[in-house]
Amino acid sequence: MNVLGINCGHDASVALVQDGELVFALAEERISRVKHHYGFPKLAIDCLIESQVVQANKIDAIAFSG
């Protein structure tokens, strides 16, 4: 099972857990170069998909923190 975690707001970030194991995590500020990036982590999600760790259609659930 692939679970995508999305943290919006202060320190926006994403994480991917596959079968209970963390396989990808990225803070938006690492890409946007804006310290404590606030908002939706679009660039981090794009990076996850581009890294081919998982295909977008293979994500089973999304956990969202606002």
Side-chain angles (χ1 to χ4, degrees):
M1 178 172 215
N2 296 312
V3 180
L4 175 64
I6 299 174
N7 178 42
C8 288
H10 185 70
D11 291 329
S13 57
V14 297
L16 179 69
V17 175
Q18 288 181 332
D19 299 323
E21 184 176 330
L22 179 66
V23 295
F24 185 94
L26 182 62
E28 184 78 359
E29 71 179 23
R30 297 294 179 186
I31 302 168
S32 70
R33 302 292 187 206
V34 176
K35 189 73 173 167
H36 303 295
H37 185 100
Y38 186 91
F40 188 79
K42 181 193 179 315
L43 298 174
I45 292 171
D46 289 345
C47 187
L48 167 65
I49 300 304
E50 288 174 13
S51 71
Q52 298 183 349
V53 172
V54 68
Q55 295 174 347
N57 63 347
K58 299 292 183 186
I59 294 174
D60 300 304
I62 298 174
F64 185 81
S65 169

